Amino acid sequence: MSAEINEPALKKQKLDPDNCVKIIETEGDVSSSVKEGPSESTALSKTEDSVLNGPLDPLAYTKTQHFTSEIYKICIENVPKYVNAPDVRKFLKKYDLEAVKVKRAFKTSFAYVTFRDEPTRQKALQTLENVQWKKNLLKVHCAEPDKNPFARNEARGDKKLQDCRSVREKTAPLYQMKLSEQLEFKLSEIQGVLNNYKNLLKRSWQSGFPEEHYNFSISEIKQSPVLIGYRNKCEFTIGKNTDTKEEICVGFVKGSFSLGNISIESPDECTETCSCIMIEEVKKFKDFLATSTLPIYDNIANTGVWKALQIRTTEQQDIMITPIVDKRSLDSEKLEKVKCSLKKFYSEKQNCSLFLKLVGGKEEVAHIDGPEFMLEKLCGYNFQITSGSFFQVNTAGAEVLYQTIRETARLDDKTVLLDVCCGTGTIGIILSKYVKCVHGIEIVESAVEDAKKNAERNKIKTSLFMQEMQSQQFLELSTIFLNLPRQGLWRLSIHRGTGCMQMLLHV
């Protein structure tokens, strides 16, 4: 199945890998890369250095009234090689230490941890020094806050780092290829991943590697029925267009957060990913922002309110609009005015669900007007979608995907199916009539509730959705589906689920 989607940077296009690292937002809303070692630094001239100590100070966000855990940060060295961020959190809890944020780059020897206050940081420094973790003796010291990449780049003046790709190139890197060339390229990429996996297995095998079991064959990629404007969900950034000097722009980021250089560009040309409905709604929301007395969010000064716009649509032309705001500068009176102004602006829009997402601290989502959910039809079933629901972004493509899953899994009336990271329950509900029963497991509580409602709505009585499973339930399983988030699956979960497993499918 294929449609041109948000691909990672491709070696074939010789893109700078620094433009493609994963971004994590701190509590101060300063973007920083997880590809981090003990403090990266770029040499700056004396003139640039003097600018950094002025209004473009890259640590200015730590000196405001807004909370950021970056000022309560430590570096733990000699961390065991294969330990991940959740492992670090679990280890800290043994010593009654609650981390706000953990950064752990894979296979490095260090981890960065931030805390809620200075007393907790001091406790961590005293408690963890020379503590043994597995065979490693830990070393701990205070760490500097992450530097705001936007302020650093502004200080470079004419030497600013830039990413010159258009938003169309960033959202659909293969758009200039014919569809047949895209499919051929993607097939080659998948084959490369499998070959690399096989080589890794060989290196870890002591002797007698069963080569015949790892001759991977790849079937033909199945094409999505919809190739243009296929996404049913997009999130658009609000900011300035530095090329046209527009003070208010809603669209995609042209540039790189990690380089500290971004400009917001309209999605008008991004027809591969965005539907005409979405593009039109982006323009309307820009008109709304022009009437607002509240400022858009400034990534350099870390001030402002309007940050982004999330839009979801269905095949039935329903729409869900969710503006995203930084709540730290909004008191209850201002927040109420924001809600009222949005409700008034969209009061005449039909089939519209209106929400407001608040970030800058604990995330909250407030329902403002219209239905509290949308219904999307998928493979003949109706699914309830809320503002935070996970749902396949290509509805028509998902139908092809689920049909392929059913054909591959060889399901029958004796199959006990486990859907891991089930989201709103789409896979389990659609396949329920082909199996004995379905267990869906999902860590997000609101998604579990949506899955239960979807099962009830579709009169499915053989599905059970939950946040965790009992040990005896694992013993009944015969088939496991993994539809995982980017960080993957906790390795202990794999061991628990494979006892009686006959088939595992990674979706």
Side-chain angles (χ1 to χ4, degrees):
M1 181 182 61
S2 177
E4 180 50 285
I5 60 174
N6 296 339
E7 301 273 2
L10 305 173
K11 293 179 182 177
K12 185 174 181 179
Q13 294 176 290
K14 299 181 180 179
L15 300 181
D16 185 348
D18 285 341
N19 294 341
C20 309
V21 293
K22 183 180 177 183
I23 303 304
I24 293 179
E25 285 193 348
T26 71
E27 289 76 11
D29 290 297
V30 177
S31 299
S32 58
S33 167
V34 295
K35 202 173 77 173
E36 173 185 356
S39 199
E40 61 171 87
S41 62
T42 304
L44 298 174
S45 67
K46 290 182 179 180
T47 304
E48 289 169 324
D49 186 59
S50 66
V51 174
L52 287 176
N53 293 320
L56 294 178
D57 179 0
L59 297 179
Y61 74 97
T62 67
K63 303 166 187 175
T64 68
Q65 75 273 24
H66 299 315
F67 171 78
T68 173
S69 66
E70 284 291 312
I71 59 178
Y72 309 121
K73 187 176 184 179
I74 66 171
C75 178
I76 306 176
E77 296 185 358
N78 297 333
V79 175
K81 188 174 183 179
Y82 294 102
V83 162
N84 58 21
D87 293 331
V88 175
R89 286 185 182 275
K90 187 176 179 181
F91 179 78
L92 292 173
K93 285 183 178 179
K94 290 181 181 178
Y95 298 91
D96 195 27
L97 293 168
E98 190 72 36
V100 172
K101 184 176 59 184
V102 176
K103 287 185 182 179
R104 174 78 175 108
F106 186 57
K107 288 188 178 181
T108 59
S109 61
F110 57 88
Y112 286 109
V113 182
T114 67
F115 299 99
R116 183 62 57 182
D117 51 42
E118 184 60 27
T120 309
R121 178 165 78 159
Q122 290 302 321
K123 179 182 176 181
L125 291 170
Q126 295 169 14
T127 305
L128 300 177
E129 182 68 20
N130 293 322
V131 167
Q132 186 163 342
W133 191 357
K134 296 186 177 180
K135 297 181 180 180
N136 295 21
L137 207 61
L138 301 181
K139 296 292 180 184
V140 191
H141 59 83
C142 290
E144 292 293 320
D146 284 343
K147 292 180 172 61
N148 184 332
F150 300 99
R152 288 189 66 86
N153 204 32
E154 283 296 317
R156 294 186 176 98
D158 294 338
K159 299 178 182 178
K160 285 182 186 178
L161 303 175
Q162 295 188 24
D163 178 359
C164 297
R165 290 175 294 163
S166 68
V167 292
R168 190 178 186 188
E169 290 175 291
K170 294 192 72 175
T171 56
L174 308 184
Y175 80 92
Q176 291 179 315
M177 291 185 185
K178 295 179 181 178
L179 179 60
S180 58
E181 293 174 340
Q182 288 187 32
L183 299 181
E184 183 180 346
F185 176 83
K186 292 178 181 181
L187 195 62
S188 172
E189 288 288 289
I190 295 169
Q191 187 65 64
V193 169
L194 292 175
N195 290 340
N196 184 49
Y197 174 63
K198 182 177 179 179
N199 292 333
L200 289 171
L201 286 175
K202 276 186 177 181
R203 287 204 292 268
S204 63
W205 210 272
Q206 296 297 323
S207 61
F209 179 72
E211 186 94 28
E212 66 279 6
H213 294 311
Y214 293 95
N215 293 323
F216 302 112
S217 62
I218 306 174
S219 58
E220 182 182 357
I221 294 178
K222 295 189 177 182
Q223 179 180 317
S224 168
V226 178
L227 301 176
I228 300 297
Y230 67 87
R231 288 188 67 96
N232 55 40
K233 176 188 175 184
C234 280
E235 188 167 302
F236 304 93
T237 304
I238 299 169
K240 299 178 181 179
N241 186 318
T242 56
D243 296 331
T244 63
K245 307 302 180 184
E246 283 183 271
E247 288 297 311
I248 299 176
C249 191
V250 184
F252 293 124
V253 174
K254 177 186 177 183
S256 166
F257 281 99
S258 61
L259 295 180
N261 176 266
I262 63 169
S263 177
I264 310 304
E265 192 172 292
S266 165
D268 289 356
E269 295 184 359
C270 302
T271 53
E272 290 81 12
T273 51
C274 298
S275 66
C276 295
I277 294 175
M278 285 191 179
I279 293 173
E280 191 60 35
E281 286 304 323
V282 165
K283 293 176 181 177
K284 289 180 182 177
F285 191 73
K286 182 181 175 182
D287 292 338
F288 166 79
L289 290 177
T291 67
S292 174
T293 57
L294 297 173
I296 63 172
Y297 192 80
D298 187 324
N299 283 294
I300 296 177
N302 292 289
T303 58
V305 175
W306 301 104
K307 294 198 73 172
L309 174 68
Q310 181 193 100
I311 299 177
R312 306 187 80 137
T313 59
T314 69
E315 297 289 302
Q316 293 74 40
Q317 305 301 308
D318 295 330
I319 189 165
M320 183 176 288
I321 298 172
T322 308
I324 302 172
V325 299
D326 190 303
K327 65 181 179 181
R328 292 174 298 173
S329 57
L330 295 175
D331 56 27
S332 56
E333 184 180 345
K334 288 181 179 178
L335 183 56
E336 197 58 38
K337 287 182 178 179
V338 168
K339 293 178 181 179
C340 290
S341 62
L342 285 168
K343 185 174 182 178
K344 182 179 179 181
F345 186 80
Y346 287 104
S347 60
E348 296 181 6
K349 188 164 186 62
Q350 300 296 313
N351 304 320
C352 177
S353 297
L354 184 61
F355 290 82
L356 182 67
K357 185 174 181 178
L358 309 173
V359 298
K362 185 178 180 180
E363 286 190 3
E364 304 172 63
V365 177
H367 175 244
I368 297 177
D369 199 16
E372 294 189 17
F373 59 86
M374 300 189 301
L375 288 179
E376 179 66 291
K377 188 173 285 293
L378 184 62
C379 297
Y381 294 89
N382 290 309
F383 291 94
Q384 173 178 313
I385 303 172
T386 57
S387 179
S389 298
F390 171 79
F391 196 81
Q392 294 288 342
V393 296
N394 184 342
T395 305
E399 293 190 334
V400 177
L401 172 65
Y402 293 161
Q403 175 66 23
T404 305
I405 291 172
R406 186 177 73 82
E407 294 168 355
T408 305
R410 300 193 296 273
L411 305 172
D412 58 37
D413 58 6
K414 296 180 181 179
T415 301
V416 179
L417 174 68
L418 173 63
D419 182 7
V420 180
C421 301
C422 64
T424 53
T426 52
I427 294 179
I429 290 171
I430 289 170
L431 299 181
S432 61
K433 66 180 179 181
Y434 304 105
V435 301
K436 179 181 178 181
C437 66
V438 175
H439 296 295
I441 189 166
E442 169 63 58
I443 195 171
V444 180
E445 185 178 358
S446 60
V448 173
E449 292 305 311
D450 284 342
K452 290 177 179 178
K453 291 175 182 176
N454 284 330
E456 184 179 351
R457 183 182 302 279
N458 290 285
K459 300 180 181 179
I460 305 297
K461 298 181 180 180
T462 56
S463 295
L464 180 64
F465 298 99
M466 66 206 90
Q467 284 186 276
E468 59 182 32
M469 292 181 67
Q470 302 300 318
S471 298
Q472 64 269 22
Q473 290 174 307
F474 280 100
L475 299 177
E476 303 171 0
L477 301 175
S478 57
T479 302
I480 298 179
F481 288 166
L482 302 177
N483 190 6
L484 304 180
R486 287 186 178 88
Q487 64 265 35
L489 186 66
W490 190 34
R491 53 180 172 270
L492 180 59
S493 302
I494 299 174
H495 294 308
R496 289 185 68 190
T498 53
C500 300
M501 180 184 66
Q502 298 173 13
M503 177 173 287
L504 186 147
L505 282 83
H506 190 179
V507 180

